[in-house]
PDB file of all heavy atoms in Angstrom:
ATOM      1  N   VAL A  77       8.135  10.872 -27.282  1.00  0.00           N
ATOM      2  CA  VAL A  77       9.494  11.522 -27.595  1.00  0.00           C
ATOM      3  C   VAL A  77      10.523  10.672 -26.891  1.00  0.00           C
ATOM      4  O   VAL A  77      10.337  10.141 -25.875  1.00  0.00           O
ATOM      5  CB  VAL A  77       9.578  13.003 -27.082  1.00  0.00           C
ATOM      6  CG1 VAL A  77       8.926  13.964 -27.953  1.00  0.00           C
ATOM      7  CG2 VAL A  77       9.058  13.080 -25.650  1.00  0.00           C
ATOM      8  N   GLU A  78      11.749  10.650 -27.509  1.00  0.00           N
ATOM      9  CA  GLU A  78      12.836   9.929 -27.064  1.00  0.00           C
ATOM     10  C   GLU A  78      13.578  10.943 -26.081  1.00  0.00           C
ATOM     11  O   GLU A  78      13.896  12.086 -26.476  1.00  0.00           O
ATOM     12  CB  GLU A  78      13.760   9.408 -28.062  1.00  0.00           C
ATOM     13  CG  GLU A  78      14.882   8.525 -27.549  1.00  0.00           C
ATOM     14  CD  GLU A  78      15.776   7.958 -28.563  1.00  0.00           C
ATOM     15  OE1 GLU A  78      15.408   7.978 -29.713  1.00  0.00           O
ATOM     16  OE2 GLU A  78      16.872   7.588 -28.142  1.00  0.00           O
ATOM     17  N   MET A  79      13.957  10.412 -24.897  1.00  0.00           N
ATOM     18  CA  MET A  79      14.507  11.267 -23.927  1.00  0.00           C
ATOM     19  C   MET A  79      16.080  11.028 -23.839  1.00  0.00           C
ATOM     20  O   MET A  79      16.504   9.913 -24.087  1.00  0.00           O
ATOM     21  CB  MET A  79      13.915  10.956 -22.454  1.00  0.00           C
ATOM     22  CG  MET A  79      12.418  11.011 -22.382  1.00  0.00           C
ATOM     23  SD  MET A  79      11.694  12.673 -22.818  1.00  0.00           S
ATOM     24  CE  MET A  79      12.408  13.580 -21.501  1.00  0.00           C
ATOM     25  N   PRO A  80      16.791  12.019 -23.343  1.00  0.00           N
ATOM     26  CA  PRO A  80      18.240  11.831 -23.086  1.00  0.00           C
ATOM     27  C   PRO A  80      18.428  10.945 -21.802  1.00  0.00           C
ATOM     28  O   PRO A  80      17.479  10.643 -21.061  1.00  0.00           O
ATOM     29  CB  PRO A  80      18.763  13.163 -22.855  1.00  0.00           C
ATOM     30  CG  PRO A  80      17.564  13.964 -22.421  1.00  0.00           C
ATOM     31  CD  PRO A  80      16.356  13.403 -23.000  1.00  0.00           C
ATOM     32  N   HIS A  81      19.640  10.439 -21.579  1.00  0.00           N
ATOM     33  CA  HIS A  81      19.915   9.582 -20.527  1.00  0.00           C
ATOM     34  C   HIS A  81      20.554  10.368 -19.390  1.00  0.00           C
ATOM     35  O   HIS A  81      21.305   9.818 -18.574  1.00  0.00           O
ATOM     36  CB  HIS A  81      20.805   8.428 -20.952  1.00  0.00           C
ATOM     37  CG  HIS A  81      20.202   7.596 -22.011  1.00  0.00           C
ATOM     38  ND1 HIS A  81      20.803   6.349 -22.543  1.00  0.00           N
ATOM     39  CD2 HIS A  81      19.003   7.622 -22.637  1.00  0.00           C
ATOM     40  CE1 HIS A  81      19.971   5.874 -23.364  1.00  0.00           C
ATOM     41  NE2 HIS A  81      18.894   6.583 -23.492  1.00  0.00           N
ATOM     42  N   THR A  82      20.306  11.632 -19.353  1.00  0.00           N
ATOM     43  CA  THR A  82      20.861  12.545 -18.295  1.00  0.00           C
ATOM     44  C   THR A  82      19.739  13.351 -17.677  1.00  0.00           C
ATOM     45  O   THR A  82      18.634  13.571 -18.359  1.00  0.00           O
ATOM     46  CB  THR A  82      21.908  13.492 -18.850  1.00  0.00           C
ATOM     47  OG1 THR A  82      21.317  14.190 -19.963  1.00  0.00           O
ATOM     48  CG2 THR A  82      23.137  12.667 -19.379  1.00  0.00           C
ATOM     49  N   GLY A  83      19.971  13.682 -16.453  1.00  0.00           N
ATOM     50  CA  GLY A  83      18.875  14.495 -15.784  1.00  0.00           C
ATOM     51  C   GLY A  83      19.511  15.016 -14.429  1.00  0.00           C
ATOM     52  O   GLY A  83      20.630  15.201 -14.367  1.00  0.00           O
ATOM     53  N   HIS A  84      18.590  15.315 -13.530  1.00  0.00           N
ATOM     54  CA  HIS A  84      19.000  15.799 -12.271  1.00  0.00           C
ATOM     55  C   HIS A  84      18.178  15.154 -11.144  1.00  0.00           C
ATOM     56  O   HIS A  84      17.093  14.633 -11.366  1.00  0.00           O
ATOM     57  CB  HIS A  84      18.936  17.317 -12.177  1.00  0.00           C
ATOM     58  CG  HIS A  84      17.619  17.878 -12.148  1.00  0.00           C
ATOM     59  ND1 HIS A  84      16.958  18.213 -13.285  1.00  0.00           N
ATOM     60  CD2 HIS A  84      16.800  18.218 -11.118  1.00  0.00           C
ATOM     61  CE1 HIS A  84      15.766  18.686 -12.920  1.00  0.00           C
ATOM     62  NE2 HIS A  84      15.632  18.688 -11.646  1.00  0.00           N
ATOM     63  N   VAL A  85      18.618  15.305  -9.913  1.00  0.00           N
ATOM     64  CA  VAL A  85      17.932  14.812  -8.727  1.00  0.00           C
ATOM     65  C   VAL A  85      16.999  15.887  -8.316  1.00  0.00           C
ATOM     66  O   VAL A  85      17.343  17.065  -7.971  1.00  0.00           O
ATOM     67  CB  VAL A  85      18.950  14.492  -7.576  1.00  0.00           C
ATOM     68  CG1 VAL A  85      18.190  14.242  -6.260  1.00  0.00           C
ATOM     69  CG2 VAL A  85      19.789  13.322  -7.949  1.00  0.00           C
ATOM     70  N   GLY A  86      15.659  15.550  -8.346  1.00  0.00           N
ATOM     71  CA  GLY A  86      14.582  16.483  -7.956  1.00  0.00           C
ATOM     72  C   GLY A  86      14.430  16.526  -6.430  1.00  0.00           C
ATOM     73  O   GLY A  86      14.232  17.562  -5.842  1.00  0.00           O
ATOM     74  N   SER A  87      14.442  15.371  -5.913  1.00  0.00           N
ATOM     75  CA  SER A  87      14.526  15.241  -4.409  1.00  0.00           C
ATOM     76  C   SER A  87      14.997  13.863  -4.091  1.00  0.00           C
ATOM     77  O   SER A  87      15.087  12.978  -5.048  1.00  0.00           O
ATOM     78  CB  SER A  87      13.140  15.495  -3.737  1.00  0.00           C
ATOM     79  OG  SER A  87      12.203  14.540  -4.203  1.00  0.00           O
ATOM     80  N   PHE A  88      15.351  13.489  -2.896  1.00  0.00           N
ATOM     81  CA  PHE A  88      15.915  12.225  -2.630  1.00  0.00           C
ATOM     82  C   PHE A  88      15.791  11.828  -1.152  1.00  0.00           C
ATOM     83  O   PHE A  88      15.415  12.657  -0.348  1.00  0.00           O
ATOM     84  CB  PHE A  88      17.456  12.185  -3.014  1.00  0.00           C
ATOM     85  CG  PHE A  88      18.264  13.109  -2.147  1.00  0.00           C
ATOM     86  CD1 PHE A  88      18.993  12.510  -1.027  1.00  0.00           C
ATOM     87  CD2 PHE A  88      18.391  14.408  -2.351  1.00  0.00           C
ATOM     88  CE1 PHE A  88      19.782  13.289  -0.204  1.00  0.00           C
ATOM     89  CE2 PHE A  88      19.136  15.252  -1.515  1.00  0.00           C
ATOM     90  CZ  PHE A  88      19.882  14.751  -0.490  1.00  0.00           C
ATOM     91  N   CYS A  89      16.006  10.520  -0.868  1.00  0.00           N
ATOM     92  CA  CYS A  89      15.898   9.987   0.426  1.00  0.00           C
ATOM     93  C   CYS A  89      17.076   8.996   0.680  1.00  0.00           C
ATOM     94  O   CYS A  89      17.338   8.255  -0.226  1.00  0.00           O
ATOM     95  CB  CYS A  89      14.571   9.284   0.546  1.00  0.00           C
ATOM     96  SG  CYS A  89      14.404   8.308   2.058  1.00  0.00           S
ATOM     97  N   VAL A  90      17.676   9.065   1.809  1.00  0.00           N
ATOM     98  CA  VAL A  90      18.829   8.174   2.129  1.00  0.00           C
ATOM     99  C   VAL A  90      18.185   7.138   3.092  1.00  0.00           C
ATOM    100  O   VAL A  90      17.605   7.443   4.131  1.00  0.00           O
ATOM    101  CB  VAL A  90      19.929   8.878   2.776  1.00  0.00           C
ATOM    102  CG1 VAL A  90      21.062   7.849   3.205  1.00  0.00           C
ATOM    103  CG2 VAL A  90      20.495   9.899   1.905  1.00  0.00           C
ATOM    104  N   THR A  91      18.243   5.890   2.750  1.00  0.00           N
ATOM    105  CA  THR A  91      17.646   4.824   3.565  1.00  0.00           C
ATOM    106  C   THR A  91      18.778   4.108   4.380  1.00  0.00           C
ATOM    107  O   THR A  91      19.756   3.693   3.757  1.00  0.00           O
ATOM    108  CB  THR A  91      16.907   3.769   2.655  1.00  0.00           C
ATOM    109  OG1 THR A  91      15.886   4.431   2.021  1.00  0.00           O
ATOM    110  CG2 THR A  91      16.378   2.638   3.507  1.00  0.00           C
TER     111      THR A  91
END
Side-chain angles (χ1 to χ4, degrees):
Chain A
V77 280
E78 188 180 340
M79 306 300 296
H81 299 182
T82 53
H84 70 270
V85 171
S87 65
F88 67 98
C89 169
V90 178
T91 299

